[in-house]
């Protein structure tokens, strides 16, 4: 079995065959996933995953009833603030890059009772007494402090690293996510599998882990299946020769 992998910054390269693999029977590709774009003001990283989040599907419930600061840019930040309105009505959206939001979105923010500020974020504040990563709000560049209990990031510019698969002929959706067989996770190209955020699903760690395990099973099965087919063909050929 021959493996091909690609670094997000480099070309496709061939890796050695896995131990015990059937050489030449199948080709597998490790496909890098997606990248979530966000800025990193000082103090942010200790809070990530603990009190500051990026995915409302995964962590929206964490802000239930809490004052939440959305740190973002333009329409992406406005959309996040409106999405979080389901869990809390105590939201302030800081448009860090002061990108154009649009009149319709601004009206929706106002209707939802969401505070809106166009200002550059200088620092993420934390509550030292509550342990590491306890979000307390943000300090703006002009020194103004905005209090909060939870934070969300929404800067837009997310990228799906699937451009290089076009050369393989892999089927992709318009959003660049790769279409796979729901059972085997094989792509439209035989011998090429995809799992995790690069596929078509909710971008969650638990789902990616499960798909990775699922792919491993079918990567193991594929060369065995091909060997059986080859042996069957060889047997038929030998049988045909013996009849003459």
């Amino acid at each position: 079995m021959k493996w091909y992998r690609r670094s997000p910054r480099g070309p496709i390269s061939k890796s050695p065959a896995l131990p015990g693999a059937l050489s030449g029977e199948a080709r597998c590709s490790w496909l890098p996933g997606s990248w979530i774009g966000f800025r990193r003001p000082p103090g942010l990283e200790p809070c990530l995953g603990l009190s500051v989040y990026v995915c409302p599907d995964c962590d929206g419930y964490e802000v239930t009833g809490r004052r939440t600061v959305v740190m973002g840019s333009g329409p992406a930040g406005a959309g996040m603030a409106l999405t979080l309105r389901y869990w809390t009505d105590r939201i302030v959206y800081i448009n860090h890059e002061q990108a154009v939001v649009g009149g319709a979105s601004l009206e929706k923010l106002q209707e939802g009772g969401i505070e809106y500020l166009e200002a550059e974020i200088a620092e993420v504040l934390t509550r030292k007494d509550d342990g590491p990563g306890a979000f307390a709000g943000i300090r703006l560049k002009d020194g103004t402090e905005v209090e909060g209990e939870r934070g969300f990031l929404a800067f837009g510019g997310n990228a799906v690293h699937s451009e290089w698969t076009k050369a393989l002929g892999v089927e992709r959706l318009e959003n660049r996510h790769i279409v796979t067989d729901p059972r085997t996770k094989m792509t439209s190209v035989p011998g090429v599998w995809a799992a995790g955020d690069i596929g078509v699903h909710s971008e969650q760690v638990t789902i990616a882990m499960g798909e990775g395990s699922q792919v491993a099973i079918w990567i193991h099965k594929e060369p065995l299946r091909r060997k059986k087919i080859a042996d069957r063909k060889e047997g038929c050929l030998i049988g045909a020769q013996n009849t003459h």
Side-chain angles (χ1 to χ4, degrees):
M1 181 182 289
K2 296 180 180 179
W3 284 75
Y4 289 82
R5 63 184 176 185
R6 177 189 183 278
S7 164
R9 297 184 179 179
I12 298 175
S13 61
K14 186 167 70 173
S15 299
L18 293 178
L22 302 173
S23 178
E25 288 295 335
R27 299 182 189 278
C28 314
S29 284
W30 167 33
L31 309 183
S34 61
W35 176 83
I36 299 176
F38 62 88
R39 311 301 176 264
R40 300 190 181 189
L44 172 62
E45 293 195 18
C47 298
L48 286 175
L50 295 176
S51 56
V52 175
Y53 316 98
V54 296
C55 175
D57 295 332
C58 308
D59 300 306
Y61 70 93
E62 293 278 6
V63 307
T64 302
R66 293 186 169 102
R67 179 168 171 79
T68 302
V69 179
V70 175
M71 298 166 275
S73 176
M80 178 66 77
L82 292 169
T83 297
L84 295 175
R85 186 63 178 74
Y86 175 85
W87 289 280
T88 181
D89 58 1
R90 303 167 61 200
I91 302 173
V92 55
Y93 167 34
I94 310 295
N95 187 349
H96 172 71
E97 296 180 342
Q98 303 178 41
V100 176
V101 172
S105 294
L106 287 174
E107 288 182 10
K108 291 180 180 179
L109 291 174
Q110 186 175 11
E111 291 172 0
I114 298 171
E115 299 177 49
Y116 175 66
L117 296 174
E118 292 186 354
E120 186 175 342
I121 299 169
E123 181 183 6
V124 170
L125 304 176
T126 58
R127 294 186 299 274
K128 306 300 183 183
D129 295 340
D130 292 340
F135 180 79
I138 55 98
R139 180 179 292 112
L140 302 178
K141 190 175 181 179
D142 64 5
T144 302
E145 293 188 1
V146 179
E147 295 183 355
E149 299 170 89
R150 293 290 187 271
F152 255 89
L153 302 174
F155 285 94
N158 297 355
V160 181
H161 295 296
S162 65
E163 296 85 357
W164 68 279
T165 64
K166 292 172 62 177
L168 299 176
V170 171
E171 180 184 358
R172 303 186 302 166
L173 298 181
E174 291 183 2
N175 62 6
R176 299 182 183 177
H177 285 275
I178 293 174
V179 178
T180 60
D181 181 275
R183 185 183 184 199
T184 66
K185 295 302 171 184
M186 188 183 288
T187 68
S188 59
V189 177
V192 179
W193 289 262
D197 293 352
I198 202 170
V200 182
H201 69 75
S202 298
E203 298 180 2
Q204 296 182 325
V205 171
T206 51
I207 293 178
M209 291 170 63
E211 288 189 351
S213 178
Q214 188 176 355
V215 164
I217 291 171
W218 287 97
I219 286 177
H220 173 71
K221 287 179 180 291
E222 182 65 12
L224 299 177
R225 183 188 70 84
R226 295 188 184 187
K227 187 175 187 302
K228 286 181 180 180
I229 293 174
D231 290 346
R232 193 178 301 121
K233 289 182 178 179
E234 183 178 353
C236 292
L237 180 60
I238 293 175
Q241 291 175 345
N242 291 337
T243 59
H244 294 289

